[in-house]
């Protein structure tokens, strides 16, 4: 059974950077898509950055384009989210997720993903 464990969250000042890491217990390329999502209380989970492992296409939320980058290191069973120029509105719990089946309704749609980590808190505040 696949296990995903996120790390790298924390408190950072506006304009700062963080790199989130997701450690997978299985071969990353066995899954069709990998992604990072975030959620704040009272709001629906939001796709932040996602990668289609089959064709290399990516999805980025408009609010993070140019600031966040998703990457993978298959040999290390790791997925990363580099977050630069962080803003207070980026504050959320961030989740790593894998999709077993090919996404049908959108690479960034959270319901396409069937394996989730426990989340890591990111707080952007001065």
């Amino acid at each position: 059974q696949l296990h995903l464990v996120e790390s790298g969250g924390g408190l950072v000042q506006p304009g700062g950077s963080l790199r989130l890491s997701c450690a997978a217990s299985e071969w990353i390329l066995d899954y069709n898509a990998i992604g990072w999502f975030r959620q704040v209380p009272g709001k629906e989970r939001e796709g932040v950055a996602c990668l289609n492992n089959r064709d290399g296409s990516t999805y980025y939320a408009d609010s993070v384009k140019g600031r966040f980058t998703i990457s993978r290191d298959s040999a290390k069973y790791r997925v990363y989210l580099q977050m630069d120029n962080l803003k207070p509105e980026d504050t959320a719990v961030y989740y790593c997720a894998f999709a077993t089946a090919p996404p049908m309704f959108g690479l960034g749609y959270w319901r396409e993903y069937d394996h989730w980590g426990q989340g890591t808190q990111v707080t952007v505040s001065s």
Side-chain angles (χ1 to χ4, degrees), residues 14-15 17 19 23 51 63 65 81 84 104 123-124:
S17 297
R19 188 176 80 153
L51 173 64
S63 60
K65 284 180 181 176
L81 182 67
D84 298 318
M104 298 292 291
T123 302
V124 185

Side-chain angles (χ1 to χ4, degrees), residues 22-99:
C22 173
S25 62
E26 297 182 3
W27 186 240
I28 292 173
L29 297 181
D30 282 346
Y31 294 83
N32 277 275
I34 54 178
W36 289 93
F37 298 78
R38 65 187 180 189
Q39 190 167 23
V40 296
K43 291 191 176 182
E44 187 175 2
R45 192 162 294 188
E46 173 191 25
V48 175
C50 304
L51 173 64
N52 186 314
N53 278 336
R54 301 295 174 252
D55 63 15
S57 60
T58 56
Y59 165 87
Y60 289 95
D62 288 342
S63 60
V64 308
K65 284 180 181 176
R67 301 189 297 123
F68 290 13
T69 304
I70 186 172
S71 62
R72 68 183 184 217
D73 186 334
S74 302
K76 295 183 178 179
Y77 291 54
R78 296 268 178 166
V79 181
Y80 302 101
L81 182 67
Q82 178 66 41
M83 305 187 294
D84 298 318
N85 190 21
L86 282 160
K87 304 176 180 181
E89 52 264 40
D90 294 320
T91 296
V93 177
Y94 283 72
Y95 298 90
C96 171
F98 283 22

